Amino acid sequence: MRKLLLYLFISFFTITSTQAQQPKKPNASEIFESLKKLNFLGSVLYVAAHPDDENTRLISYMANHVKARTAYLSLTRGDGGQNLIGPEIRELLGVIRTQELLAARRTDGGEQRFTRANDFGYSKHPDETLAIWNKEEVLSDVVLAIRQFKPDIIINRFDHRSPGTTHGHHTSSAMLSVEAFDLANNPSIYPEQVKKHGTWQPNREFFNTSWWFYGSQEKFDKADKSKLLNFDIGTYYASNGLSNTEIASLSRSQHKSQGFGNTGTRGSQQEYIELIKGEIPKDKNNIFEGIDTTWNRVSGGNAIGNILYQVEKDFDFTNPSASIPELLKAYQRIEKLEDNHWKQIKSEEIKNLIYNCAGLYLEAAAENNHATANETVHLNIELINRASENVQLKTLQINNETPLLEEKTLVKNEKIGLKKSFSVKKDQEPTTPYWLTKKGTLGMYQVNDKSWIGKPETPRYFNVTFGLNIQGIAISYTKPIIYKTNDPVKGEVYKPFEIITEASAKIAEKVIIFENDKPKEIPVLVKAGRDNLEGFVEIAYPNGWSVFPEKQKFAIANKGQEQTLIFTIIPPKNQSEGLITPMVHVADKTYTKELIEMEYDHIPFQTVLLPSESKIVRLDIQKKGENIAYIEGAGDVIPESLQQIGYNVVTIKPEDINTETLSKFDAVVVGIRAYNTVEALKFKQQILFDFVANGGNMIVQYNTNRRLKTEQLAPYSLTLSRDRVTDENAKVTLLKPEHELLNFPNKITEKDFEGWTQERGLYFPDKWSKEFTPILSMHDKGESAKKGSLLVAKHGKGYYIYTGLSFFREFPAGVSGAYRLFANMLSIGKENIHAVNTIKN
């Protein structure tokens, strides 16, 4: 399990470890900042397309300086991106990036929302994006976000007026936001939403511009700024010793899977937003000008404001509990507000303030982080009141069941420990990200429970509600059931409490390649979700294939243990492919899902249930050369994939690259983005080029043209661009059909480019020296031919190959043609050796 180094980050409202489930324990300064936020009634919604698109500087400024309720609406969960910290891609990467966004919001003080749009990969135009997304459904989700959040201000990260100049998802996010700005107040639009949330009209909408969108700082300086507002977002927060930009950098650095670690900056810094809807404020530094953000905004709010403004004025940093009596008075008045929107928001905020001022600590911890349907779960419940206020526990309610009477006085600083238990329902669904429970489309996730649309996570069903009486006022607090343990290195570690299936199974390899018709033994790992699990496993497989034995029994004594069963898969004589699925039978139930657990230190422990299936491919493939050196980049499955077709692959570290080490290999493969991420490689280039000159082959996969560690990517001149072909079905023309690369040892035809997934390739070179031969040509609709996807150059006795083709996506998908082409790349130059050996024999 991959684990990142422990990284402590500071939020404006809380200081917490990266074990993100750990409860917040704010100090007096943070409590005071929350009190100031309680007294601000205004909202900002920031809109963009992906995790990491958001401007954390502006979100932090709005949340922490302006004190506005601030949220980021990311239309997608970032499934189509790359992963720099592990092997997860697609749906699992989307889960990681969702949690990274939540970690970012815990850092900068914002909230997080989504739509059902799926990040299907790079798109060059919003027309394509909105055709693959269901435009009407995504638009309805944006309208829903506006009606639910009720923002006064909307800020778009991208410009809706420039389609085709940037990622199609980017422009689409702005276009949908602009359209939704007007639709949200129309009761005839999505009337089913109106019944529950009403309509809403934001006051203003802005585009978060900068000199970059103008092409240069010089052009921006000369531009008309009559519709621009600007803020100094470099403000310093003395209460926690950080500038706004430092907090923003900590927030940005949560996007670890994208490699967006960010260095904090200090000092004055201007941020600009351009008005695109509504009236321009006269005060160009006040985004809320003309909008009442005081308690006078709501009917009955004046009396609440009179109380709370005085509490803010009189706040005692040495004794926050002194504010509790007045906070309780304001709480009672807030509970009677007619404005249900602000009532819900401010009621929750003031309850948390009372909780923190009283130094309350309420926790319900399960004895295990997993349980199954019909299982009894034992809880350790802790309560403590660390202030002198009069606090009594009246009831405990577990999972919304009938409250239990539990009369206890919480004496100052005396811990109360309770032991309770509950039974999980027989029909309880397992815990998993709600957007992954049903199969969606290329562009959309399917969400059956419409009330969950927009939520960042599956709502927690397992909770304990503490019914308290504080100075005679009844207040309840609901806490999710968690699991915690002690790690000898990290100390106290928290995990979510999850429901899993009683049995799950997985095949470790998600793609199994058969290079010939010989059978392979495939291990199936069965995991028990409860004690004393017995049953049998069989495998579903495609026509033409065979599996032996037909079924196997298993018996697992203890929950959490695993048992491995070996099945033999027998391929057909000819090329074929399909899916195999292990089916676990326990009594009258059948389980076909795999339990996936992901542990990274910057996000909470994640449990995901996905269909357990592996692709099996009988390849018609030949290869030459046996020993391959692999240099890691940003993460791909090249070593495992090449081992599947019979290569001996050894991963070598940059410091071990030397002439003697390389002499053992027929070829060197460099992982994706290695020259963007591995500093040491720039000192090893000549050694690698000498390896090629001495008869070896070197294959370099795609790098971005930004932040290259070296300009000398190849032994000859080579310039990277941002050229890419996003249509995975784009026609591929063989520019040199007679070239060895397309003929030995496998005959490559256009058929080998069928079935590719997500894209053809990315960041192709657009300039190269005469020594390179372009092999392929391809392009997206309406564009010129791109010939830089596969370049080969003879260098001495060997060959240097640069490719932007997306092998890192095609190998995990089991695309036959990608394997055959890569085998040719490794085998190039070996034809003569093969002929000589044949003559000798």
Side-chain angles (χ1 to χ4, degrees):
M1 196 73 70
R2 286 107 12 229
K3 297 186 178 182
L4 300 180
L5 295 174
L6 187 63
Y7 170 67
L8 299 179
F9 67 88
I10 302 175
S11 162
F12 196 83
F13 300 109
T14 182
I15 298 176
T16 147
S17 79
T18 54
Q19 301 303 326
Q21 293 295 307
Q22 196 170 54
K24 295 180 179 179
K25 302 167 187 175
N27 59 39
S29 293
E30 292 160 344
I31 292 171
F32 180 65
E33 296 301 331
S34 297
L35 177 57
K36 292 197 289 186
K37 196 174 186 74
L38 177 66
N39 283 330
F40 190 94
L41 280 70
S43 302
V44 176
L45 182 65
Y46 198 91
V47 181
H50 310 109
D52 73 43
D53 282 345
E54 80 275 25
N55 184 340
T56 56
R57 300 181 304 274
L58 197 50
I59 289 176
S60 178
Y61 180 85
M62 292 297 164
N64 299 320
H65 180 74
V66 179
K67 302 300 182 189
R69 182 175 177 237
T70 308
Y72 173 42
L73 175 61
S74 177
L75 268 60
T76 76
R77 296 176 184 268
D79 312 61
Q82 287 85 49
N83 184 359
L84 301 189
I85 61 174
E88 297 88 357
I89 58 174
R90 293 304 310 158
E91 293 89 352
L92 293 178
L93 177 58
V95 173
I96 290 173
R97 298 189 72 190
T98 293
Q99 291 299 323
E100 289 180 335
L101 273 178
L102 289 169
R105 298 295 80 77
R106 286 190 294 270
T107 306
D108 58 34
E111 301 175 29
Q112 186 60 50
R113 290 172 176 258
F114 293 96
T115 74
R116 289 169 289 172
N118 188 358
D119 178 5
F120 56 83
Y122 193 87
S123 175
K124 293 183 175 178
H125 199 280
D127 289 349
E128 179 195 38
T129 298
L130 297 174
I132 295 175
W133 289 349
N134 183 320
K135 182 199 171 182
E136 193 62 27
E137 288 190 354
V138 181
L139 178 60
S140 76
D141 291 355
V142 179
V143 171
L144 176 65
I146 295 172
R147 286 171 172 172
Q148 287 179 329
F149 192 73
K150 303 191 186 310
D152 301 300
I153 308 295
I154 295 177
I155 303 175
N156 298 330
R157 185 66 181 108
F158 301 104
D159 191 349
H160 65 289
R161 299 159 296 192
S162 56
T165 61
T166 182
H167 197 322
H169 296 183
H170 292 169
T171 311
S172 295
S173 71
M175 292 168 64
L176 292 170
S177 175
V178 169
E179 190 172 351
F181 181 92
D182 296 319
L183 296 180
N185 199 38
N186 187 337
S188 65
I189 301 298
Y190 313 122
E192 70 284 354
Q193 294 180 6
V194 177
K195 292 176 184 177
K196 187 173 182 179
H197 305 290
T199 59
W200 183 253
Q201 183 58 64
N203 291 72
R204 301 181 181 112
E205 184 165 27
F206 296 89
F207 158 47
N208 186 191
T209 190
S210 70
W211 68 264
W212 189 87
F213 290 97
Y214 287 76
S216 69
Q217 183 67 52
E218 183 180 4
K219 290 180 180 179
F220 180 65
D221 291 341
K222 296 177 180 179
D224 176 15
K225 296 183 178 62
S226 60
K227 289 191 174 183
L228 266 59
L229 275 65
N230 64 293
F231 318 101
D232 183 356
I233 47 88
T235 184
Y236 174 68
Y237 304 120
S239 58
N240 69 350
L242 292 174
S243 67
N244 184 74
T245 46
E246 286 175 305
I247 292 174
S249 294
L250 292 172
S251 174
R252 184 74 170 166
S253 296
Q254 298 309 306
H255 296 298
K256 298 183 187 300
S257 65
Q258 291 297 97
F260 283 160
N262 202 275
T263 301
T265 60
R266 289 149 292 280
S268 179
Q269 185 174 333
Q270 295 297 313
E271 192 73 47
Y272 293 87
I273 56 175
E274 176 189 352
L275 183 77
I276 53 178
K277 282 186 179 290
E279 292 186 7
I280 190 78
K282 295 179 182 178
D283 182 353
K284 295 296 186 70
N285 301 116
N286 183 6
I287 195 172
F288 280 97
E289 184 185 77
I291 302 170
D292 191 350
T293 58
T294 71
W295 277 102
N296 292 328
R297 177 172 192 159
V298 295
S299 177
N302 184 58
I304 298 170
N306 289 339
I307 297 171
L308 291 178
Y309 297 136
Q310 193 63 41
V311 172
E312 183 180 330
K313 181 179 179 181
D314 297 338
F315 186 76
D316 186 348
F317 287 85
T318 64
N319 181 24
S321 65
S323 299
I324 292 177
E326 294 302 299
L327 289 173
L328 287 168
K329 290 180 184 178
Y331 168 71
Q332 290 178 292
R333 291 181 178 272
I334 290 172
E335 287 291 284
K336 296 177 182 178
L337 285 175
E338 295 178 3
D339 187 320
N340 194 54
H341 174 70
W342 285 112
K343 173 185 172 180
Q344 289 183 3
I345 294 168
K346 295 304 177 181
S347 177
E348 195 62 30
E349 287 183 13
I350 199 168
K351 280 172 60 178
N352 288 334
L353 265 171
I354 294 168
Y355 182 93
N356 293 327
C357 285
L360 287 172
Y361 187 87
L362 308 173
E363 183 175 85
E367 293 183 350
N368 197 294
N369 68 314
H370 290 155
T372 58
N374 208 32
E375 183 178 340
T376 298
V377 178
H378 301 286
L379 299 177
N380 294 312
I381 296 175
E382 179 182 343
L383 306 89
I384 191 166
N385 163 29
R386 289 171 287 190
S388 58
E389 301 307 316
N390 179 17
V391 181
Q392 286 89 33
L393 172 66
K394 292 294 186 180
T395 61
L396 280 176
Q397 188 177 28
I398 302 175
N399 305 333
N400 298 315
E401 301 293 336
T402 304
L404 305 171
L405 293 176
E406 195 73 45
E407 299 260 359
K408 293 186 180 296
T409 297
L410 275 63
V411 179
K412 181 181 179 181
N413 218 27
E414 289 188 11
K415 174 183 171 180
I416 294 176
L418 303 173
K419 290 189 177 296
K420 299 292 178 181
S421 62
F422 69 92
S423 295
V424 181
K425 295 177 181 179
K426 293 181 180 180
D427 59 351
Q428 181 65 50
E429 292 293 323
T431 310
T432 198
Y434 70 86
W435 61 95
L436 298 179
T437 55
K438 299 290 183 182
K439 186 174 180 61
T441 65
L442 174 63
M444 296 294 294
Y445 283 119
Q446 181 179 336
V447 179
N448 288 345
D449 189 337
K450 302 303 182 187
S451 67
W452 290 1
I453 293 175
K455 294 183 183 298
E457 300 179 281
T458 305
R460 289 283 159 186
Y461 177 81
F462 295 94
N463 304 283
V464 172
T465 298
F466 299 82
L468 303 183
N469 187 297
I470 303 177
Q471 294 188 6
I473 307 300
I475 300 183
S476 64
Y477 292 97
T478 298
K479 300 292 182 179
I481 294 173
I482 52 86
Y483 167 75
K484 68 177 181 179
T485 187
N486 182 70
D487 183 278
V489 176
K490 299 177 183 177
E492 192 174 51
V493 174
Y494 281 72
K495 289 183 179 181
F497 172 72
E498 311 279 25
I499 300 299
I500 61 174
T501 53
E502 62 178 341
S504 60
K506 71 175 179 180
I507 299 171
E509 298 294 341
K510 295 308 172 190
V511 175
I512 304 169
I513 304 295
F514 293 76
E515 58 175 318
N516 50 44
D517 61 359
K518 293 181 181 179
K520 285 189 178 184
E521 291 187 340
I522 306 299
V524 175
L525 200 66
V526 182
K527 186 169 185 176
R530 63 169 174 83
D531 293 338
N532 303 314
L533 187 73
E534 294 184 0
F536 69 91
V537 176
E538 60 180 341
I539 294 182
Y541 55 91
N543 291 333
W545 295 71
S546 300
V547 174
F548 179 82
E550 184 178 333
K551 62 179 67 173
Q552 295 190 60
K553 292 182 179 180
F554 67 88
I556 305 176
N558 299 312
K559 174 180 182 176
Q561 285 187 332
E562 298 172 329
Q563 183 176 340
T564 301
L565 305 175
I566 304 296
F567 288 85
T568 299
I569 309 294
I570 305 165
K573 295 290 183 182
N574 300 317
Q575 186 158 311
S576 174
E577 61 183 55
L579 297 174
I580 56 173
T581 296
M583 303 169 67
V584 184
H585 300 274
V586 179
D588 60 345
K589 295 183 178 178
T590 302
Y591 300 97
T592 59
K593 290 194 173 182
E594 173 185 352
L595 179 67
I596 301 166
E597 296 178 321
M598 297 185 291
E599 186 170 8
Y600 292 99
D601 281 349
H602 66 302
I603 60 175
F605 187 88
Q606 295 297 300
T607 301
V608 184
L609 277 172
L610 288 178
S612 181
E613 56 186 26
S614 293
K615 187 172 184 179
I616 49 176
V617 181
R618 164 68 172 96
L619 268 182
D620 177 15
I621 189 170
Q622 302 294 322
K623 65 185 192 317
K624 298 299 174 185
E626 298 294 332
N627 299 311
I628 309 300
Y630 171 73
I631 301 171
E632 287 185 334
D636 54 39
V637 292
I638 295 296
E640 301 92 329
S641 300
L642 296 182
Q643 286 166 357
Q644 288 263 7
I645 56 175
Y647 281 105
N648 174 39
V649 184
V650 177
T651 299
I652 59 175
K653 297 179 180 179
E655 57 266 28
D656 295 330
I657 297 174
N658 57 57
T659 301
E660 182 180 355
T661 300
L662 295 181
S663 67
K664 304 171 186 176
F665 299 101
D666 298 299
V668 172
V669 178
V670 183
I672 62 172
R673 294 182 64 181
Y675 291 103
N676 297 126
T677 58
V678 184
E679 185 79 25
L681 274 183
K682 67 182 179 182
F683 305 113
K684 301 292 184 176
Q685 287 296 81
Q686 191 56 53
I687 298 173
L688 290 167
F689 297 157
D690 289 344
F691 164 76
V692 177
N694 290 328
N697 292 336
M698 181 178 178
I699 299 171
V700 178
Q701 297 181 88
Y702 96 92
N703 293 269
T704 66
N705 58 359
R706 296 179 181 178
R707 299 181 180 179
L708 281 168
K709 303 299 183 182
T710 177
E711 295 299 322
Q712 193 180 4
L713 288 177
Y716 309 113
S717 175
L718 182 73
T719 303
L720 302 185
S721 73
R722 298 185 67 82
D723 288 350
R724 61 199 303 164
V725 176
T726 62
D727 182 359
E728 64 268 38
N729 299 310
K731 179 178 172 56
V732 176
T733 301
L734 309 182
L735 294 174
K736 299 288 183 179
E738 75 289 350
H739 197 282
E740 180 183 356
L741 197 58
L742 297 177
N743 291 276
F744 179 80
N746 304 289
K747 178 67 175 177
I748 302 299
T749 69
E750 292 183 7
K751 186 175 177 61
D752 287 291
F753 294 94
E754 294 177 1
W756 284 50
T757 182
Q758 187 161 326
E759 61 194 351
R760 288 295 189 196
L762 62 170
Y763 295 104
F764 299 159
D766 62 349
K767 296 178 183 177
W768 51 84
S769 67
K770 60 181 177 59
E771 286 83 2
F772 281 105
T773 299
I775 302 298
L776 306 173
S777 175
M778 59 191 72
H779 62 88
D780 282 322
K781 183 180 179 180
E783 294 191 355
S784 60
K786 305 294 186 290
K787 298 181 180 181
S789 64
L790 181 58
L791 301 172
V792 59
K794 189 82 162 62
H795 181 59
K797 299 177 182 178
Y799 289 85
Y800 175 95
I801 297 173
Y802 189 94
T803 179
L805 294 171
S806 59
F807 291 103
F808 72 102
R809 296 199 190 280
E810 312 318 317
F811 280 5
V815 177
S816 302
Y819 280 88
R820 286 163 44 82
L821 178 58
F822 210 95
N824 280 19
M825 290 158 58
L826 293 169
S827 303
I828 190 170
K830 312 297 183 188
E831 185 173 12
N832 293 334
I833 296 173
H834 170 68
V836 169
N837 289 337
T838 300
I839 293 171
K840 286 182 179 180
N841 292 333

